[in-house]
Amino acid sequence: YAAKSGHGAGPVFATGLDDHAKARLTMLEELRAGLDRGELVLHYQPKVTVDDEQRVDGVEALVRWQHPVRGLVYPDAFLYTAESADLMGRITETVLEIACRQSRRWRDQGLTMPVAVNLSVSNLRDPDFPEQVSALLLRFGLPPGAIELEVTESVLMTDADTALIQLGRLRDMGLRIAVDDYGTGYSSLSYLRVLPADELKLDRSFVLRCGTDPRSAAIVQSTVGLAHSLGMRMVAEGVEDMETFEQLRGFGCDLAQGYVIARPAGVEAVTAWLSERAGVQQPVR
Ligand code: C2E
Ligand code: MG
Ligand code: MG
Ligand code: MG
């Protein structure tokens, strides 16, 4: 570091670190303090059936960091650093707790759709994770089907044996499992053979080009077939226009999530959106 930043061969104090490393340390310090102060918040994005009814099938919880100075910080800006510093355990614990508390509130209001939480590599390596989840469900009086867990291919690729065992335990407990960002990892097919999952969420990079690029459309269509053959439901993420939604319907895709249906939003806005939908489906008696 000393040579790189031009300080000669002096001792390596914090001032000898390059800017990137300094920024990383500052962020981690602030993130730890932010976790203590409860600065993580969740936005929620609905997932609906691909038909005229567009019935709400679930909502995905997406973490944001309400930073006192920087404002709302999105996950891509801090999750990678958090993971490399072993903070993901705490983050997921926090996210799960907020999601469970919110799920309880929604259920008490008659809104019973599952809430999906995204997992990271380290979560499935933690042997205590399934117990943590069941303790939370118990604490909030939730059935296991109230929570869905989303795992990416990269989560499955790292320490695959442990990940599969842990996922198997969670699914046996009754939680729903989804493979997230499907198609962007490396070994897409080998683990599908053994993976205990309920949903395949095709990455939005394919969905995005579905209407303009025949090759992307072919991938979307055949992934629907693959998911169904494996007994899973197919979810398209990142649906941004109704043309794509109609195309997905033609392909037999089960569920869709994306800006054309609803953008991720804070709890008040989402609750209003959900209640309005519920009202349409169940006329007031
Ligand atoms: P993801 O799980 O694939 O979540 C979907 C992302 O796509 C979200 O970005 C969402 O806001 C965005 N999105 C939804 N619909 C559309 C659309 O129609 N068009 C476009 N362009 N984007 C759309 P977000 O919230 O920034 O999250 C990014 C990623 O960060 C997530 O991707 C997930 O991998 C990760 N993440 C978010 N929350 C958590 C969390 O609590 N824990 C963990 N481990 N990861 C999380
Ligand atoms: Mg996700
Ligand atoms: Mg995704
Ligand atoms: Mg994604």
Side-chain angles (χ1 to χ4, degrees), residues 233-265:
R233 296 195 298 168
M234 159 85 175
V235 188
E237 63 173 36
V239 184
E240 294 188 356
D241 52 67
M242 273 324 277
E243 290 73 37
T244 306
F245 188 87
E246 291 306 333
Q247 200 176 5
L248 289 166
R249 189 210 304 254
F251 291 160
C253 177
D254 302 285
L255 302 165
Q257 193 178 347
Y259 293 168
V260 74
I261 295 136
R263 286 181 179 255

Side-chain angles (χ1 to χ4, degrees), residues 96-277:
L96 264 172
E97 182 177 333
I98 303 173
C100 284
R101 181 174 294 119
Q102 189 55 47
S103 170
R104 182 68 267 158
R105 287 201 190 118
W106 275 331
R107 278 170 187 264
D108 292 343
Q109 297 168 43
L111 300 165
T112 56
M113 68 284 145
V115 178
V117 169
N118 293 281
L119 297 190
S120 284
V121 179
S122 46
N123 300 131
L124 289 177
R125 264 197 229 131
D126 176 1
D128 298 330
F129 184 68
E131 275 77 38
Q132 280 174 23
V133 174
S134 71
L136 271 175
L137 293 172
L138 198 66
R139 181 173 145 204
F140 290 100
L142 293 170
I147 298 295
E148 176 165 9
L149 300 173
E150 299 197 359
V151 292
T152 59
E153 290 171 273
S154 56
V155 171
L156 296 164
M157 289 319 295
T158 332
D159 216 346
D161 294 345
T162 316
L164 283 175
I165 292 168
Q166 295 279 73
L167 277 178
R169 285 173 66 196
L170 289 157
R171 190 158 185 258
D172 289 345
M173 282 163 52
L175 283 92
R176 280 215 232 166
I177 310 289
V179 180
D180 202 0
D181 300 345
Y182 179 73
T184 53
Y186 296 103
S187 179
S188 316
L189 292 170
S190 55
Y191 70 81
L192 276 189
R193 229 171 355 157
V194 285
L195 183 71
D198 305 279
E199 283 172 17
L200 207 54
K201 294 187 82 172
L202 185 64
D203 190 69
R204 72 162 181 268
S205 53
F206 301 103
V207 179
L208 196 71
R209 298 181 180 89
C210 194
T212 49
D213 170 28
R215 299 178 79 93
S216 293
I219 289 170
V220 174
Q221 184 168 21
S222 50
T223 306
V224 174
L226 177 65
H228 289 173
S229 313
L230 293 169
M232 299 186 208
R233 296 195 298 168
M234 159 85 175
V235 188
E237 63 173 36
V239 184
E240 294 188 356
D241 52 67
M242 273 324 277
E243 290 73 37
T244 306
F245 188 87
E246 291 306 333
Q247 200 176 5
L248 289 166
R249 189 210 304 254
F251 291 160
C253 177
D254 302 285
L255 302 165
Q257 193 178 347
Y259 293 168
V260 74
I261 295 136
R263 286 181 179 255
V267 70
E268 269 179 51
V270 175
T271 305
W273 191 93
L274 292 168
S275 308
E276 207 172 290
R277 287 286 173 122

